[in-house]
């Protein structure tokens, strides 16, 4: 209302007779036909003492048009502009304080009346502000309508997701049951396959042990009488049990279970297990045949006879060989003074790859079919479970967004999907309203959390003028970081600025 009044054309004011320096609102206190009572009630004086350049009232109200009272006030009418009160001390001080110049009526200074020009500029400014305010309200209305529409859409989507969640939960449970049913024959078939393979491995190992025991028995049975005696067992000192390097009769008899001799079956059952890790086979490993040496007789026949060296030549050769050996020793001593090269690093032995016999054979056709069916059921179940998790995440996000306090009418909702950055000399600050605030070194580095959304933190009369972000990264031996974001309206189409 005040803005509209200021924009109305200035009407011609009716001149009301009153003492100099008195405003229209106070003119009824100054009646020439009555004595003047100070406005603070401190005294009553004859009216002819008003503006007589002498201060009679404590509040200075008897001298509104002079500089007699230092605590008095002079009213500038400023027709065409804004009325103004100035200190009485400024009256007739040689400085034009009122735009209409009425404060310098007796100082000899001629003041130009600038009220009309100031009024024109003031009205232009007020008109611009009015336009900005109108545009701001227009945009605010759009934002409110946008959030109202978006909120309805999100609520509808939330209802649909919640209904779909129940259906998807049922589907997940159904696929879980299908998966578990498909895994039962798969597990049975795989267990049976492994059991058969392990039985085959055990039989093969037992057969190898039987062969090793039979070979050892044949080697120990020197007289081939079908039994191994203590004497035959003593031919293998590596079987010594007390560490003296000799297998005594007592030790041999103990290995034979207290008997003097033992046949092949008993040897396998009772002796072989005790000696297998110590027993050394008498069969030497087969080496590759050496290359056949050339027939020396043929070489002798082909080559002409070489004269044998004389005794003197032999002595000279021996001396030369001795000198060469001394030189080699000296060289080795000199080389010994130099730092030796470090030996190459030892490469740890690689673990032996399993042989074909140690590998479990491929599954048979029926077992593989069970595995494929179970895997297909697992894939369908996992895909449905992922879809359910994604749906639950969407529901949580929608519920959180709908529950946010976006202002009295939701006008701040558009900030929810925005982020803003502020770059200083050292840091880049990033604000994502209703989410978090962070800072990152300008020259690179990981960001630091300055707080996540807490609540509106403005004063009671302007709650939505500040945002509080809390529980950021902890300071060194101090509390967690927090940030307060103040906002105000700038002259930018009424938008909030940070």
């Amino acid at each position: 209302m005040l803005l509209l009044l200021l924009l109305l054309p200035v009407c011609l004011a009716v001149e009301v007779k009153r003492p100099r320096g008195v405003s229209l609102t106070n003119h009824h206190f100054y009646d020439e036909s009555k004595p003047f009572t100070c406005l603070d009630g401190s005294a009553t004086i004859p009216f002819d003492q008003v503006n007589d350049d002498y201060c009679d009232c404590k509040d200075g109200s008897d001298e509104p048009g002079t500089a007699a009272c230092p605590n008095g006030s002079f009213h500038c009418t400023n027709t065409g502009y804004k009325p103004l009160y100035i200190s009485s001390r400024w009256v007739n001080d040689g400085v034009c304080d009122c735009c209409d110049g009425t404060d310098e009526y007796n100082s000899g200074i001629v003041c130009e009346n600038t009220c009309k020009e100031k009024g024109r500029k003031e009205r232009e400014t007020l008109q611009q502000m009015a336009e900005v305010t109108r545009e701001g309200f227009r945009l605010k209305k759009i934002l409110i309508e946008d959030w109202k529409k978006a909120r309805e859409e999100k609520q509808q989507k939330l209802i649909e997701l919640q209904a779909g969640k129940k259906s998807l939960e049922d589907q997940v449970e159904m696929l879980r049951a299908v998966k578990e049913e498909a895994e039962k024959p798969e597990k049975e078939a795989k267990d049976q396959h492994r059991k058969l393979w392990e039985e085959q491995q055990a039989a093969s190992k037992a057969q190898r042990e039987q062969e090793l025991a039979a070979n050892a028995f044949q080697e120990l049975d020197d007289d081939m009488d079908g039994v191994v005696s203590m004497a035959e067992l003593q031919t293998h000192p590596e079987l010594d049990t007390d560490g003296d390097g000799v297998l005594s009769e007592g030790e041999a008899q103990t290995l034979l279970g207290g008997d003097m001799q033992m046949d092949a079956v008993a040897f396998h059952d009772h002796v072989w297990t005790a000696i297998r890790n110590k027993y050394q086979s008498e069969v030497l490993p087969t080496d590759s045949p050496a290359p056949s040496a050339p027939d020396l007789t043929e070489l002798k026949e082909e080559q002409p006879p070489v004269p044998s060296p004389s005794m003197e030549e032999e002595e000279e050769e021996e001396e030369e060989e001795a000198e060469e050996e001394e030189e080699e020793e000296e060289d080795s001593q000199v080389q010994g003074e130099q730092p030796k090269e470090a030996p190459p690093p030892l490469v740890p032995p690689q673990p032996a790859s399993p042989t074909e016999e140690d590998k479990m054979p491929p599954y048979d056709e029926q077992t593989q079919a069970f595995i494929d069916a179970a895997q297909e059921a697992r894939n369908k179940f996992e895909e449905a479970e992922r879809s359910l998790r994604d749906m639950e995440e969407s529901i949580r996000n929608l519920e959180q967004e709908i529950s946010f306090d976006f202002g009295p009418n939701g006008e701040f909702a558009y900030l929810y999907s925005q982020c803003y950055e502020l770059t200083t000399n050292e840091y880049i600050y990033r604000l994502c309203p209703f989410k978090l605030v962070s800072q990152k070194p300008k020259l690179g580095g990981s960001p630091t959390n300055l707080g996540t959304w807490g609540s509106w933190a403005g004063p009671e009369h302007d709650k939505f003028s500040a945002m509080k972000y809390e529980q950021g990264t902890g300071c060194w031996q101090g509390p967690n970081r927090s940030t307060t974001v103040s906002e105000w309206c700038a002259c930018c189409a009424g938008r909030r600025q940070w």
Side-chain angles (χ1 to χ4, degrees):
M1 181 64 71
L2 177 61
L3 181 61
L4 295 176
L5 290 174
L6 289 172
L7 292 176
L8 292 175
V10 178
C11 300
L12 293 176
V14 178
E15 182 67 27
V16 177
K17 187 176 181 181
R18 61 191 187 278
R20 189 188 301 274
V22 176
S23 65
L24 282 173
T25 56
N26 288 341
H27 82 279
H28 59 280
F29 294 115
Y30 296 85
D31 188 351
E32 294 182 358
S33 62
K34 298 178 183 178
F36 176 73
T37 301
C38 302
L39 297 183
D40 62 356
S42 58
T44 300
I45 60 174
F47 192 84
D48 58 3
Q49 293 183 13
V50 173
N51 280 340
D52 65 349
D53 205 19
Y54 182 83
C55 192
D56 299 294
C57 297
K58 291 181 179 179
D59 61 357
S61 56
D62 64 314
E63 299 296 323
T66 71
C69 298
N71 59 337
S73 297
F74 180 88
H75 182 263
C76 303
T77 304
N78 290 345
T79 304
Y81 188 52
K82 295 182 294 185
L84 178 69
Y85 277 101
I86 64 172
S87 173
S88 295
R89 292 175 298 176
W90 298 353
V91 175
N92 292 323
D93 63 350
V95 178
C96 299
D97 298 296
C98 301
C99 65
D100 58 4
T102 54
D103 61 312
E104 299 298 323
Y105 62 90
N106 197 28
S107 65
I109 299 296
V110 178
C111 296
E112 181 183 359
N113 190 332
T114 59
C115 291
K116 191 175 292 186
E117 180 63 19
K118 283 189 174 185
R120 184 186 64 79
K121 290 182 179 180
E122 179 73 8
R123 286 189 292 276
E124 288 179 357
T125 300
L126 291 175
Q127 187 174 0
Q128 291 174 0
M129 289 179 63
E131 292 174 359
V132 168
T133 302
R134 283 195 298 270
E135 180 65 11
F137 278 114
R138 186 186 71 82
L139 291 175
K140 180 180 179 180
K141 185 178 179 180
I142 292 174
L143 293 175
I144 292 173
E145 290 298 323
D146 287 348
W147 170 237
K148 183 179 178 182
K149 181 179 178 182
R151 193 170 190 270
E152 291 174 355
E153 292 175 353
K154 292 178 188 297
Q155 287 175 332
Q156 181 61 35
K157 186 176 180 180
L158 180 60
I159 294 172
E160 294 173 359
L161 286 175
Q162 288 172 337
K165 178 187 174 185
K166 182 65 175 65
S167 174
L168 192 53
E169 284 175 340
D170 295 340
Q171 183 182 359
V172 167
E173 290 306 314
M174 183 268 292
L175 291 174
R176 187 195 305 276
V178 171
K179 176 183 76 74
E180 291 174 353
E181 283 299 316
E183 286 175 340
K184 289 178 182 178
E186 176 199 34
K187 184 178 184 303
E188 292 175 0
K190 289 173 72 173
D191 290 346
Q192 182 65 22
H193 181 84
R194 176 172 288 278
K195 180 181 178 182
L196 292 174
W197 174 68
E198 290 175 348
E199 289 175 353
Q200 293 173 0
Q201 288 289 96
S204 177
K205 181 179 179 182
Q207 183 179 357
R208 285 196 300 270
E209 288 296 320
Q210 182 72 31
E211 292 173 355
L212 290 173
N215 292 336
F217 183 86
Q218 289 179 2
E219 291 177 1
L220 289 170
D221 186 12
D222 293 332
D223 56 8
M224 302 180 66
D225 60 352
V227 294
V228 172
S229 63
M230 289 191 302
E232 289 171 333
L233 203 59
Q234 285 180 280
T235 61
H236 282 259
E238 74 272 10
L239 303 179
D240 169 43
T241 59
D242 59 5
D244 61 357
V246 177
L247 185 65
S248 64
E249 289 184 2
E251 291 172 330
Q253 190 173 10
T254 301
L255 289 175
L256 292 174
D259 297 329
M260 302 297 292
Q261 59 187 14
M262 190 169 286
D263 61 14
V265 176
F267 177 83
H268 174 269
D269 294 340
H270 304 291
V271 179
W272 175 244
T273 303
I275 70 171
R276 75 179 305 280
N277 293 330
K278 292 183 178 181
Y279 180 77
Q280 295 179 2
S281 176
E282 297 173 0
V283 180
L284 296 176
T286 57
D287 297 333
S288 58
S292 58
D295 192 351
L296 298 178
T297 57
E298 294 180 0
L299 290 175
K300 288 179 180 179
E301 291 177 357
E302 293 176 0
Q303 294 182 357
V306 179
S308 59
S310 61
M311 294 295 294
E312 293 180 358
E313 291 177 350
E314 289 179 358
E315 291 177 358
E316 290 178 358
E317 289 177 358
E318 290 177 359
E319 290 177 359
E320 290 176 357
E321 289 176 359
E323 290 177 358
E324 290 176 358
E325 290 177 358
E326 291 178 359
E327 290 177 358
E328 289 177 359
E329 289 179 0
E330 291 177 359
D331 292 342
S332 65
Q333 290 176 357
V334 173
Q335 291 175 358
E337 295 174 359
Q338 298 175 353
K340 296 181 179 179
E341 295 182 359
L346 296 176
V347 179
Q350 298 296 325
S353 58
T355 62
E356 291 298 325
E357 295 181 358
D358 296 333
K359 293 181 180 179
M360 188 167 64
Y363 294 111
D364 59 83
E365 186 174 346
Q366 185 178 9
T367 301
Q368 189 61 49
F370 286 138
I371 293 173
D372 294 341
Q375 187 59 46
E376 183 180 358
R378 278 190 291 271
N379 292 341
K380 290 181 178 179
F381 168 73
E382 290 169 1
E383 183 179 354
E385 203 172 36
R386 278 195 301 271
S387 299
L388 179 59
R389 286 197 300 269
D390 293 342
M391 182 176 288
E392 289 173 340
E393 179 68 19
S394 298
I395 289 173
R396 282 194 297 271
N397 291 337
L398 282 172
E399 289 176 339
Q400 183 184 40
E401 187 173 354
I402 291 173
S403 66
F404 264 122
D405 182 3
F406 289 129
N409 298 294
E411 54 266 46
F412 296 103
Y414 81 100
L415 294 174
Y416 187 75
S417 59
Q418 307 294 323
C419 286
Y420 305 90
E421 287 190 352
L422 172 66
T423 302
T424 63
N425 293 335
E426 191 173 357
Y427 294 104
I428 299 174
Y429 293 91
R430 183 175 177 83
L431 165 66
C432 296
F434 304 105
K435 294 182 179 70
L436 59 86
V437 182
S438 63
Q439 72 174 23
K440 183 174 66 174
K442 191 174 181 181
L443 300 180
S446 57
T448 300
N449 184 357
L450 299 183
T452 55
W453 169 253
S455 62
W456 293 102
E460 187 175 352
H461 67 279
D462 194 8
K463 171 184 174 182
F464 301 101
S465 63
M467 293 175 163
K468 184 71 172 180
Y469 294 82
E470 303 168 319
Q471 299 301 318
T473 303
C475 298
W476 172 249
Q477 295 183 342
N480 290 352
R481 290 174 171 84
S482 62
T483 304
T484 300
V485 179
S486 299
E487 51 180 50
W488 64 91
C489 285
C491 295
C492 303
R495 292 183 182 272
R496 290 274 180 165
Q497 301 293 314
W498 287 268

